[in-house]
Amino acid sequence: MSAISRCETLAMLPRMAKLLLLSCVVALLAGTASAFFLHSLVWATAMRDSHRYLLCLLPLAGFVVGWVYLRYGSRVEAGNNLLIDEIHDPTRIVPLRMVPLVLWGTVMSHLFGASVGREGTAVQMGGALADQITHVLRLGNADRRILLMCGIAAGFASVFGTPLAGAVFALEVLAIGRMRYDALFPCLLAAIVADQVGLAWGVQHTHYAIQFIPAISGWTLLATLAAGALFGLVGKLFADSTHALAAVIKQLLKYPPLRPLLGGVLLLAIVWPTGADRFVGLGIPVIVEAFQQPLPPYDFAAKLGLTVLSLASGFKGGEVTPLFFIGATLGNALSPLLQLPFSLLAGLGFVAVFAGAANTPLASTFMAMELFGSEVGIYAALACVASYYFSGHSGIYRSQRIAHGKHRPFPRGLKLSELAAWRQRDQ
């Protein structure tokens, strides 16, 4: 090693040590917040299951959450997209009030029966808590970006118990076709520590088991690619439908609290008379069933529709766990057609629909190996990559930038939300 290289390495060490120490602080805060949040969700789900009449209060709960966000949360309404924007173009510190608002709003959604997830809440809490540290220490934009990414990694890892996937997700979700390797070490440490902090607070993650993984053959690879393509199309349908319906509802109802009120009325009208309670909330029992036994082939469509309605009308939560539900039940339904074990296809759908909808094939592959074992790695990678390509340039996070187009070149840094307008100008 030359003298110049040694000097550069030594000069880097103090900054890296500072970032690693701060990433552990972020992980401690995010892991603790996620643990409290997950325990709250367990309580809310148990209350809703034992007191079905709470579903009748869903429209009122939606109105209250919408009013509180209008009055106190307009700055943090964008949620995950706000964090992505701040990492790309730092402007203002993410307000600390994002933490209690999104936590309370999500628990309300689950308590009264909206079909939403939990990852968005954990990621937003992690990012907001991380940004308070950057503000107190007056860190520059470069270090601030890394700590915000650590908050995302810590939130994701602690809510799902998947530290490798959490770290890679924080690097991969920012831009399509590019990863931020300068934040790899801090994000990895933050994800690992946050996961351990959650476990120390008594968090228990659901166990999913793929009962049988067949030997690799021409047919199993071809069937996996076909399933991955379908998973990607469904992920695209989910993302595009959510954004399109949200735009329609915003155009019809100018007063924001009325949007979740309307959504709550529609959800109640669907769920209450049909007894479709298994499709509200997280739906984890149904996901577990998808690994254990054949399920009705329409389950994925029911969950997709209710989740799109819930999110588009303004209920707080996340998209990822509903995507797990949609993918697992869709994979279960594809088993007779593709002649693959239903538990394997349930596992592949679990991660691949998310990979297509979030444009995160690597994080989704790591998640599969953490949840189901390394033996599923080749199948998971094929399904997630196929899903990623077939989902096109759409996604659940509208602030994602396009660094490298999947099928054609685009202007570097173009947001997914700006893509439609760019295409019109380009024509």
Side-chain angles (χ1 to χ4, degrees), residues 40-181:
S40 300
L41 286 189
V42 171
W43 169 82
T45 301
M47 284 291 293
R48 187 190 69 241
D49 289 343
S50 59
H51 301 86
R52 190 169 187 259
Y53 65 84
L54 290 174
L55 288 171
C56 298
L57 300 177
L58 181 60
L60 177 60
F63 181 87
V64 171
V65 172
W67 183 86
V68 169
Y69 261 82
L70 177 65
R71 180 69 176 82
Y72 302 104
S74 58
R75 172 79 173 87
V76 299
E77 179 73 24
N80 290 344
N81 290 303
L82 173 61
L83 299 181
I84 295 174
D85 280 333
E86 285 297 326
I87 292 172
H88 283 292
D89 301 306
T91 54
R92 292 188 292 174
I93 297 297
V94 177
L96 181 60
R97 62 178 173 270
M98 173 182 269
V99 176
L101 280 175
V102 71
L103 190 155
W104 168 77
T106 304
V107 172
M108 289 281 284
S109 296
H110 284 276
L111 178 62
F112 296 103
S115 178
V116 294
R118 54 188 174 174
E119 123 286 339
T121 304
V123 165
Q124 290 171 50
M125 291 193 300
L129 290 169
D131 220 14
Q132 308 316 304
I133 297 175
T134 70
H135 177 62
V136 170
L137 298 181
R138 301 183 181 275
L139 299 181
N141 286 339
D143 291 346
R144 182 179 176 232
R145 288 188 180 98
I146 291 178
L147 277 197
L148 280 172
M149 294 169 69
C150 288
I152 292 174
F156 192 98
S158 57
V159 83
F160 293 127
T162 54
L164 294 181
V168 177
F169 176 80
L171 305 175
E172 192 177 23
V173 74
L174 303 178
I176 295 174
R178 186 187 66 202
M179 293 180 66
R180 289 284 305 270
Y181 288 104

Side-chain angles (χ1 to χ4, degrees), residues 23 56 81 87 103 149 159 207 221 301 336 356 388-389 395 412 426:
S23 71
C56 298
N81 290 303
I87 292 172
L103 190 155
M149 294 169 69
V159 83
H207 176 68
L221 296 180
Y388 168 76
Y389 279 110
R412 291 178 65 87
D426 191 48

Side-chain angles (χ1 to χ4, degrees), residues 177-203:
R178 186 187 66 202
M179 293 180 66
R180 289 284 305 270
Y181 288 104
D182 59 326
L184 177 58
F185 200 178
C187 284
L188 180 59
L189 183 60
I192 294 171
V193 173
D195 177 48
Q196 292 300 310
V197 168
L199 294 175
W201 283 112
V203 169

Side-chain angles (χ1 to χ4, degrees), residues 379-403:
Y379 289 117
L382 284 175
C384 290
V385 170
S387 176
Y388 168 76
Y389 279 110
F390 274 84
S391 68
H393 294 94
S394 61
I396 54 179
Y397 306 121
R398 302 281 281 169
S399 290
Q400 268 184 331
R401 269 57 166 180
I402 300 177

Side-chain angles (χ1 to χ4, degrees), residues 18 40 48 69 148 165 230 234 250 282 301 333 355 385 415 425:
K18 176 186 72 174
S40 300
R48 187 190 69 241
Y69 261 82
L148 280 172
L230 185 56
V234 171
K250 287 180 181 178
L282 294 174
V385 170
K415 289 185 183 182
R425 293 195 304 268

